[in-house]
Amino acid sequence: MSKIVATRRAVLNAGLGLTVALAASGVISPAAAREKLVINSYGGAYEQIHRKLVIEPFSKKYDVDVQVITAYSADALAQLRAQKAAPQFDVIHFSGGQEVVAAREGLIAPIKPDELTTAKELYPFAIEGLSRGEGPVHAVAAIGLLYNKEKAKKPEKWADLWNAEYKDHIVLTDLSNSYGLLGFLMINKVKGGDITKADPGFDAVKTLLDSAVVVATSPEMQQNFAQNDAWIAPYAQDYAYTLRKAGLPIEFVQGAEGTPAVYLTANLVANRPNQDLAKKFIDFSLSAEVQAGWAQELRYSPTNKATKLDETVSKEVIYGPDAVAGLVRFDPVAVDANRAALVERWKKLIAK
Amino acid sequence: MSSSTDNGVVGTPTLPPQGVSTRVLGGIAEDATLSAPGVFLIVLAFILPIGQMLLLSIENAGGGLTSEHFTRFLGDSYYLGIVWRTLRLSLLITVIAAAIGFPLAYVMAHVGPRLRLWLIVLVILPLMTSVVVRTFGWMVLLGRGGLVPFTLWKLGFVNRNFTLMQTESAIVIGMVQVLLPFMTLSVLGVVMKIDRRLEEAARTMGASFLATLRTVVLPLAMPGIVAGSLLVFTLSVSSFITPSLLGGVRLPVVAGSIYEAATKTLEWNFAAAQSVILLIGVFLVLLPYLKLTGRRHG
């Protein structure tokens, strides 16, 4: 009996000694210091899905805590700037092109393609920014034409907006909305302008104003399709899905001239201690399974070539090399520099 | 009195010993001590932020002083147009609110106490609901197929099933509904105090009902109408939720323009300059109004 006790004590002591030795050598860490990542998400339905697809599975797989702070892109950039001396985030997601500014200001750290296991599976546009110090694109919200399939003929191209058959049934979006801004930049491009030369776009919009409604928010867009007999609107693909879920007969068309898109990026914050874990998180959000989930749940288009989608979903997102080739990106630096001037000119144009 | 004053002021130097001046100085010290917490709060909550805003409005990108934000606003017909729309609509809203509020308050003052209580509850009840919720209600009523356009259409006043949304009429209708309680209650308080015998005397002397209203009740109710009008005018000039939801982006008002500049394009200096202009504008409109009525009824 006493022998057994003595043996047990010896084992315990040995175990304790081993634990101390391991802890000292850094192989294992005490339970209290479980690793933690701080990231931002955009709130609402997006954040719910974000948790379900990325945050919770990642947290389980690597046994780490992931703390989510709800902050939209502009807020997140402002916070990063304010925290420059002592950053509080590990991974920052942007959707409005802020990664370009953040990289320029040294707020985010560059990632090398070989640090991402998924890099080879991504479309070139998704890792194009890595060389400039930006994070990879983990999802895309495409902008095209939403139309009511029960009331109107299917549009083929952006220029169809000016067809007489849609007169009095057009909805345009205010430039204070980023989908609206991209829609306008595309109209401007189609009419022969560019970011520094916006006259063609404004002239073209002017001819639509008498027979169009201008809205500022997504719910107003829904209201116009539901109540006000709207037939066509330049807007985002994921919102077309939201409208369909609300029971409206709305379809999305990629304009033949190209598809501008909101690029959602995941960025590595500079000067943080656990960058390896943060890189794993970013890598995880680029995986084909996660991206298939985004397409399934919210109709964001995947940036990973290996993403497998079923037929219904694949028709409702930008899917496959041919579709991706149609994506248009406006230089975020130039857009940022011209935004205030564009918005003011737009307000003057549309005011009655 | 003077001893209690001395006790009340901690750490003040010994006051001059003689009669009247001691009392006056002591009084001032006591006033200052009593009002200090309040003054501190006012400075913290009102003067500091407004001072900050004034400063912001004359600051340029480099931190120096400039008037560029004011010249940008005042030299642009687009922004002057917004100011004109804001003032025009606010005056219209005030006049309509007074035209509805005065008769309503008059009736409320003359019915029995039980009915009056119910009427007051009915007037106050909408205030218990958020402005946003009430505005959404109007969006349903005024939109295509909504009750108002539909009724007008069915009654034959208009040719087709149209929408009243995104029109100045929608803004006026929504704002009058939102602000009517302020007018009604202001007028009611004054009308209730008018001696009923004055009206009876006027009627005995042969004045008709309308003549009594015009020559007796209306002048006596003026302070209430003025107070209500000031409230309604200032509230409508500075509101942006109802105008932006009912009027849409194509009918901007000053408050909406400030909101845009502050939150969408992040031009804080320009937003501050617009706020200062709005503030001065409201003062310019109110000052003569206050002076006139203040002298007569103050």
Side-chain angles (χ1 to χ4, degrees):
Chain A
M1 177 83 177
S2 71
K3 200 179 170 191
I4 296 175
V5 171
T7 316
R8 202 202 253 162
R9 186 172 298 144
V11 170
L12 277 174
N13 283 343
L16 193 67
L18 188 66
T19 312
V20 169
L22 284 177
S25 65
V27 174
I28 64 164
S29 44
R34 194 175 161 199
E35 278 198 283
K36 196 175 97 172
L37 271 189
V38 185
I39 68 160
N40 75 317
S41 189
Y42 307 136
Y46 180 94
E47 191 168 312
Q48 275 177 15
I49 305 296
H50 199 185
R51 280 178 195 274
K52 182 177 141 191
L53 291 176
V54 190
I55 298 163
E56 280 157 17
F58 179 82
S59 168
K60 267 205 201 95
K61 185 175 174 187
Y62 292 95
D63 191 33
V64 292
D65 288 325
V66 180
Q67 188 191 343
V68 183
I69 294 173
T70 302
Y72 290 116
S73 308
D75 280 349
L77 178 63
Q79 289 188 33
L80 269 196
R81 268 187 187 152
Q83 300 166 356
K84 189 166 188 182
Q88 300 298 310
F89 287 97
D90 294 297
V91 176
I92 279 279
H93 300 90
F94 289 129
S95 65
Q98 286 86 353
E99 63 277 357
V100 178
V101 184
R104 195 174 54 208
E105 296 181 7
L107 301 170
I108 54 177
I111 305 172
K112 291 189 198 78
D114 57 18
E115 291 175 312
L116 299 171
T117 59
T118 46
K120 286 198 181 62
E121 298 169 3
L122 297 177
Y123 287 112
F125 78 85
I127 44 172
E128 194 186 272
L130 296 191
S131 58
R132 297 190 298 260
E134 300 155 19
V137 182
H138 68 91
V140 166
I143 311 286
L145 298 168
L146 269 54
Y147 78 104
N148 185 325
K149 67 175 177 188
E150 286 176 5
K151 296 278 183 69
K153 212 183 100 200
K154 181 178 179 179
E156 304 285 334
K157 51 187 191 294
W158 286 87
D160 285 348
L161 265 181
W162 284 265
N163 283 0
E165 58 196 298
Y166 300 122
K167 199 172 186 296
D168 290 326
H169 300 284
I170 305 167
V171 186
L172 298 172
T173 309
D174 195 57
L175 292 206
S176 59
N177 178 312
S178 60
Y179 288 163
L181 181 68
L182 281 174
F184 171 75
L185 289 176
M186 191 62 203
I187 286 174
N188 185 38
K189 185 179 152 79
V190 166
K191 293 290 173 180
D194 61 42
I195 184 80
T196 52
K197 189 180 79 168
D199 294 340
F202 283 115
D203 290 344
V205 167
K206 196 174 177 183
T207 62
L208 288 180
L209 277 180
D210 283 339
S211 62
V213 175
V214 183
V215 302
T217 63
S218 302
E220 283 179 85
M221 181 65 81
Q222 173 162 359
Q223 198 195 9
N224 272 285
F225 274 111
Q227 288 187 324
N228 291 349
D229 203 21
W231 290 358
I232 190 167
Y235 213 62
Q237 190 169 27
D238 57 296
Y239 201 67
Y241 178 60
T242 308
L243 292 175
R244 272 198 302 280
K245 275 200 293 191
L248 296 168
I250 305 300
E251 294 292 336
F252 176 86
V253 175
Q254 264 184 280
E257 300 92 336
T259 304
V262 172
Y263 290 71
L264 292 89
T265 57
N267 303 280
L268 181 68
V269 177
N271 304 321
R272 286 284 287 177
N274 46 352
Q275 290 198 332
D276 284 335
L277 187 65
K279 275 178 208 159
K280 277 189 193 138
F281 183 86
I282 292 172
D283 204 21
F284 189 82
S285 33
L286 295 167
S287 72
E289 298 75 44
V290 166
Q291 298 208 352
W294 279 116
Q296 178 73 36
E297 303 271 4
L298 291 176
R299 297 299 189 267
Y300 284 118
S301 305
T303 61
N304 188 323
K305 282 180 269 190
T307 308
K308 292 274 174 288
L309 300 177
D310 63 40
E311 209 187 320
T312 332
V313 180
S314 66
K315 274 189 193 152
E316 295 178 2
V317 294
I318 308 295
Y319 184 61
D322 295 342
V324 168
L327 288 177
V328 173
R329 188 167 203 192
F330 298 102
D331 175 16
V333 181
V335 172
D336 196 51
N338 288 289
R339 186 192 304 261
L342 283 175
V343 170
E344 182 166 38
R345 191 162 167 201
W346 166 270
K347 283 193 295 191
K348 287 179 181 171
L349 179 71
I350 63 164
K352 282 179 189 165
Chain B
M1 161 88 190
S2 112
S3 75
S4 80
T5 309
D6 287 346
N7 289 342
V9 184
V10 181
T12 35
T14 324
L15 296 162
Q18 300 300 323
V20 180
S21 68
T22 312
R23 243 182 287 146
V24 169
L25 278 180
I28 290 172
E30 187 180 35
D31 283 354
T33 319
L34 278 176
S35 59
V39 170
F40 176 72
L41 267 183
I42 287 174
V43 168
L44 199 71
F46 295 100
I47 309 216
L48 215 62
I50 289 180
Q52 188 84 51
M53 188 187 78
L54 288 174
L55 205 66
L56 213 56
S57 73
I58 50 170
E59 215 174 57
N60 65 17
L65 298 186
T66 176
S67 61
E68 62 180 308
H69 311 299
F70 287 95
T71 46
R72 176 178 164 196
F73 188 92
L74 298 172
D76 194 325
S77 61
Y78 165 72
Y79 289 110
L80 294 178
I82 295 184
V83 172
W84 171 234
R85 170 180 295 122
T86 311
L87 287 180
R88 192 161 43 87
L89 290 184
S90 300
L91 284 174
L92 189 62
I93 289 160
T94 311
V95 169
I96 295 176
I100 303 174
F102 173 71
L104 185 59
Y106 183 79
V107 170
M108 284 164 77
H110 285 72
V111 295
R114 277 178 63 92
L115 184 54
R116 182 183 313 134
L117 183 69
W118 280 108
L119 286 176
I120 291 177
V121 168
L122 279 181
V123 168
I124 294 177
L125 212 55
L127 293 180
M128 312 272 172
T129 327
S130 143
V131 176
V132 180
V133 174
R134 278 182 284 159
T135 305
F136 276 117
W138 279 113
M139 287 168 76
V140 175
L141 288 177
L142 298 176
R144 202 183 296 274
L147 189 66
V148 177
F150 188 77
T151 313
L152 287 176
W153 176 45
K154 283 291 167 194
L155 290 176
F157 289 112
V158 289
N159 292 327
R160 61 191 182 116
N161 187 10
F162 73 122
T163 170
L164 267 171
M165 283 296 293
Q166 310 218 328
T167 60
E168 292 190 347
S169 315
I171 301 181
V172 172
I173 294 171
M175 290 297 292
V176 166
Q177 193 271 337
V178 167
L179 297 175
L180 192 59
F182 296 98
M183 177 66 83
T184 313
L185 296 177
S186 308
V187 180
L188 180 64
V190 178
V191 172
M192 288 281 288
K193 288 202 198 94
I194 297 175
D195 195 334
R196 199 69 70 80
R197 286 171 301 180
L198 292 172
E199 275 177 73
E200 284 161 12
R203 295 304 297 277
T204 325
M205 303 302 274
S208 67
F209 171 68
L210 283 178
T212 313
L213 266 190
R214 191 163 47 82
T215 53
V216 178
V217 183
L218 205 56
L220 288 172
M222 225 30 177
I225 296 175
V226 169
S229 302
L230 291 184
L231 262 179
V232 170
F233 181 80
T234 43
L235 285 174
S236 64
V237 123
S238 61
S239 72
F240 73 94
I241 297 174
T242 309
S244 65
L245 288 179
L246 295 178
V249 280
R250 300 189 67 182
L251 295 170
V253 293
V254 177
S257 172
I258 295 172
Y259 177 74
E260 282 266 319
T263 64
K264 303 277 173 63
T265 48
L266 301 179
E267 300 167 294
W268 286 9
N269 303 94
F270 188 48
Q274 293 185 63
S275 311
V276 171
I277 290 166
L278 180 63
L279 196 67
I280 294 172
V282 170
F283 265 127
L284 286 183
V285 173
L286 295 190
L287 226 51
Y289 211 32
L290 277 174
K291 261 218 144 87
L292 264 174
T293 52
R295 204 173 296 147
R296 249 195 290 159
H297 303 286

